[in-house]
């Protein structure tokens, strides 16, 4: 079923809309699903752990504190996420290996790119509410993203 965020906003005026600033990088331009959250800062250890688990069509929302000093996602983690059934990742931070990610069957939105990887210190929180872009993302709620933007709902939305 196609995801078109302007249509979702028209049909569901109660949805929350994330402030602009994210760009699409994955091969899947429109994606959505149940939210799993990760809160981390310049350490993608928890992201790495989660992409290794079954995604079951969910979307990982990563609050990287908006850091533009290192990438929280690269080609190997993106490919693992796609192989394990994640619908996508929304990263409040940077990614790298964008040419490979652009060919990976995964939705990926992020603030930008950075060639440096993060340090792995094992630091980060899983499934806690995270806030960025004027919206709080709650684990178990739903997020939908396309080239128009990102919307959040407390319930699944019909997307056709």
């Amino acid at each position: 079923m196609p995801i078109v965020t302007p249509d979702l906003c028209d049909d569901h005026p109660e949805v929350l809309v994330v402030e602009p600033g994210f760009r699409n990088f994955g091969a899947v331009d429109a994606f959505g699903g149940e939210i799993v959250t990760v809160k981390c800062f310049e350490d993608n250890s928890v992201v790495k752990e989660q992409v290794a688990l079954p995604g079951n069509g969910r979307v990982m929302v990563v609050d990287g504190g908006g850091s533009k000093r290192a990438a929280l996602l690269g080609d190997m983690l993106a490919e693992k996420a796609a192989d394990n059934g994640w619908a996508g990742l929304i990263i409040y931070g940077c990614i790298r290996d964008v040419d490979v990610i652009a060919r990976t069957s995964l939705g990926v939105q992020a603030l930008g790119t950075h060639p440096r990887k993060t340090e792995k210190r094992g630091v980060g929180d899983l499934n806690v509410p995270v806030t960025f872009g004027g919206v709080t993302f709650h684990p178990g709620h739903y997020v939908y993203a396309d080239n128009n933007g990102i919307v959040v709902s407390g319930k699944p939305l019909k997307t056709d």
Side-chain angles (χ1 to χ4, degrees):
M1 290 183 254
I3 292 171
V4 181
T5 58
D7 291 348
L8 291 176
C9 288
D10 292 350
D11 295 343
H12 305 277
E14 74 280 5
V15 298
L16 304 174
V17 179
V18 177
E19 295 169 353
F22 288 83
R23 291 180 33 210
N24 249 334
F25 290 98
V28 177
D29 286 338
F31 60 98
E34 185 178 348
I35 295 171
V36 171
T37 64
V38 173
K39 186 175 181 74
C40 58
F41 186 75
E42 297 178 4
D43 179 346
N44 69 345
S45 299
V46 177
V47 174
K48 182 178 181 181
E49 292 168 3
Q50 291 303 300
V51 298
L53 300 174
N56 300 317
R58 295 174 296 168
V59 176
M60 191 181 313
V61 176
V62 180
D63 180 356
S67 173
K68 295 185 178 177
R69 299 188 305 197
L72 294 171
L73 181 74
D75 58 345
M76 292 187 293
L77 295 186
E79 288 172 351
K80 187 168 285 215
D83 290 345
N84 287 327
W86 289 88
L89 288 94
I90 297 170
I91 299 178
Y92 186 53
C94 290
I95 67 167
R96 67 186 205 158
D97 302 314
V98 295
D99 295 331
V100 175
I101 290 174
R103 297 187 304 270
T104 303
S105 184
L106 184 70
V108 177
Q109 289 210 8
L111 296 178
T113 63
H114 196 288
R116 179 164 299 168
K117 66 181 179 178
T118 67
E119 292 184 30
K120 307 285 188 292
R121 299 181 311 273
V123 177
D125 296 311
L126 177 64
N127 281 330
V128 297
V130 298
T131 302
F132 58 83
V135 171
T136 298
F137 298 83
H138 296 275
H141 285 192
Y142 292 81
V143 64
Y144 303 90
D146 65 7
N147 286 321
N148 296 292
I150 303 168
V151 300
V152 178
S153 172
K155 62 182 182 185
L157 301 176
K158 191 173 179 182
T159 58
D160 58 86

